[in-house]
Amino acid sequence: MARRETPAAGPGSRALVVDVIRSATTISRVELAELTGLTQPSISNIVRDLIADGVIHETGSADSVRGKPRKLLAIQPAHRFGIGFQLGPESVTCVAIDLTGGVVGREVVPLDRTDLPARLAARFDDFTAGLDLPRDRIEGLAIVAPEAPEWAEERAGLAGQLRIPVLFENDAAAAALGEFWSRRVSREQSFGCVYLSTGIGAGLVFGGSLFRGASFDAGELGHVSIAYDGRSCPCGNAGCVERYASMTATVDAARAEPALAARLRLDGTVSSAYDTIARAAVSGDAAAYAVIDRAAGHLAVAVTSMVNLLDLGRLVLTGPGVAVAGSIYARRLRTHLARTAHARHRHEIVVELSARPRDAASIGGAALVVQASIAPGHTLGVS
Ligand SMILES: [Zn+2]
């Protein structure tokens, strides 16, 4: 492997070291220096500070080739916690994670949007009290929603009320970071996450950090057009994949088939109608399967463009849209990439399904909070 440039030791190095320890589970100082490209003295200093701060600890030792045992380092899980609230159309998913990314609490409650900041503050108190998490070990709260960056006022109000840092994040970006953490993806991998919900988004993690673009608007996969003269989209473009493959578009497609719509009784909210179609599709209903598979095909075309543009090596499908029928999307995507991805002869493009597709965004929000607290000044996620 080519030796990378030695990064300067700073808050970014501290975050880098913590990330590498987390993805390795346990690791020696020598291996840390090799994997981060930092010098041995820098590693010694950073490790000493992280142990003093209680972020990591020494955990036994491993035999080295030369016989001298090496002390192994690991994350101290119960030291700090991050809270993530994901706002859905009808409910809020609340998650608490520790420093390793492990989920220590989760609940989903109905969401009433009147006087939202006060309600979220009350929700935070209830949730953390229920888990008996000491307030001084809670590093902050992340609110995750499709259009989160526009919430400047609510953020200030909430942070003042709770007296902890509050950050807002877009659901696809948060989910990407959550998957990056919980899968222990190495920093070398170009990692992408496709978030399927009532809209479609993508999150991209390069070198361990979320890629944001010029105005925090990167990852708008839903508005990648797959047809010049296709369906018109509220964004102003035509043929946006969101108009063919989002949960909303899939429910519309199923409702347009009278026999299918009557058989499955597709009234009610988009989320519940979509789950009904997805359940039918994985239980042998051929018409429901065809509707989902067609949506998956449209999604595969757009995702392949993203993979080609960025030369991604690993992709995760997540979000409520893959909670039930994720295997149909994964199969379509793998087939399409294996046949058409530009880099298919150079490397494999791994497509995986999220283990917690309904929680990925809230877990990722909580991960952002913890990450930011480990390396103050180096707002992780902002490269
Ligand atoms: Zn659009």
Side-chain angles (χ1 to χ4, degrees):
M1 192 171 86
R3 181 87 185 165
R4 276 157 304 166
E5 297 221 338
T6 303
S13 310
R14 189 174 151 101
L16 170 64
V17 167
V18 174
D19 264 8
V20 170
I21 297 173
R22 183 171 40 246
S23 43
T25 313
T26 59
I27 193 168
S28 70
R29 286 172 176 80
V30 174
E31 291 166 313
L32 259 183
E34 280 166 12
L35 284 172
T36 57
L38 292 163
T39 61
Q40 284 285 359
S42 297
I43 289 291
S44 299
N45 289 339
I46 293 169
V47 162
R48 192 191 52 229
D49 290 352
L50 287 170
I51 290 175
D53 292 347
V55 176
I56 63 173
H57 64 129
E58 286 186 329
T59 167
S61 47
D63 294 333
S64 102
V65 254
R66 271 162 258 136
K68 191 184 166 202
R70 299 161 304 163
K71 291 258 170 55
L72 292 178
L73 303 163
I75 302 283
Q76 185 99 296
H79 180 65
R80 287 175 179 166
F81 302 93
I83 310 292
F85 282 7
Q86 190 211 356
L87 310 187
E90 297 117 32
S91 58
V92 50
T93 303
C94 312
V95 160
I97 68 162
D98 64 25
L99 275 186
T100 65
V103 174
V104 296
R106 174 195 187 264
E107 65 187 27
V108 182
V109 295
L111 176 67
D112 180 342
R113 283 174 183 270
T114 50
D115 194 12
L116 197 54
R119 275 182 201 279
L120 291 176
R123 186 86 278 287
F124 178 88
D125 289 338
D126 272 7
F127 181 60
T128 54
L131 292 172
D132 200 19
L133 294 182
R135 180 63 75 107
D136 60 352
R137 290 198 174 177
I138 297 174
E139 296 296 334
L141 168 67
I143 306 285
V144 179
E147 299 294 336
E150 287 163 24
W151 284 35
E153 265 177 53
E154 286 88 344
R155 169 180 165 152
L158 207 52
Q161 213 165 330
L162 295 175
R163 285 185 303 247
I164 54 165
V166 173
L167 59 92
F168 282 72
E169 189 51 76
N170 156 295
D171 49 13
L177 193 78
E179 295 287 348
F180 177 81
W181 267 45
S182 54
R183 282 168 192 278
R184 306 180 182 278
V185 177
S186 85
R187 283 180 164 243
E188 275 72 39
Q189 274 188 305
S190 296
F191 178 74
C193 181
V194 175
Y195 192 81
L196 182 61
S197 180
T198 49
I200 297 174
L204 302 160
V205 182
F206 301 142
S209 291
L210 275 170
F211 175 73
R212 306 297 197 148
S215 65
F216 278 69
D217 208 29
E220 283 296 339
L221 177 65
H223 300 284
V224 167
S225 177
I226 54 171
Y228 162 69
D229 51 1
R231 295 174 189 167
S232 67
C233 179
C235 79
N237 203 352
C240 292
V241 67
E242 199 164 286
R243 301 281 291 108
Y244 298 83
S246 67
M247 286 167 59
T248 317
T250 303
V251 168
D252 287 347
R255 282 176 175 157
E257 293 187 27
L260 180 64
R263 187 167 67 249
L264 299 182
R265 291 195 210 99
L266 297 178
D267 31 20
T269 65
V270 166
S271 302
S272 69
Y274 179 84
D275 282 350
T276 304
I277 300 162
R279 272 195 300 273
V282 293
S283 316
D285 186 316
Y289 183 94
V291 167
I292 298 268
D293 190 49
R294 207 176 311 129
H298 289 304
L299 184 65
V301 172
V303 170
T304 302
S305 297
M306 178 172 84
V307 166
N308 286 347
L309 201 60
L310 302 166
D311 191 15
L312 298 178
R314 193 163 170 188
L315 266 180
V316 172
L317 290 174
T318 190
V322 298
V324 178
S327 57
I328 301 176
Y329 291 91
R331 188 181 313 125
R332 186 53 66 198
L333 207 54
R334 286 184 191 124
T335 313
H336 198 76
L337 286 167
R339 219 179 50 222
T340 65
H342 199 264
R344 67 188 181 278
H345 301 303
R346 281 189 290 281
H347 61 81
E348 188 191 4
I349 297 136
V350 179
V351 176
E352 296 165 320
L353 269 176
S354 172
R356 311 182 71 135
R358 293 190 203 271
D359 296 342
S362 44
I363 292 172
L368 265 173
V369 165
V370 171
Q371 227 177 10
S373 76
I374 290 169
H378 177 80
T379 317
L380 268 212
V382 186
S383 349

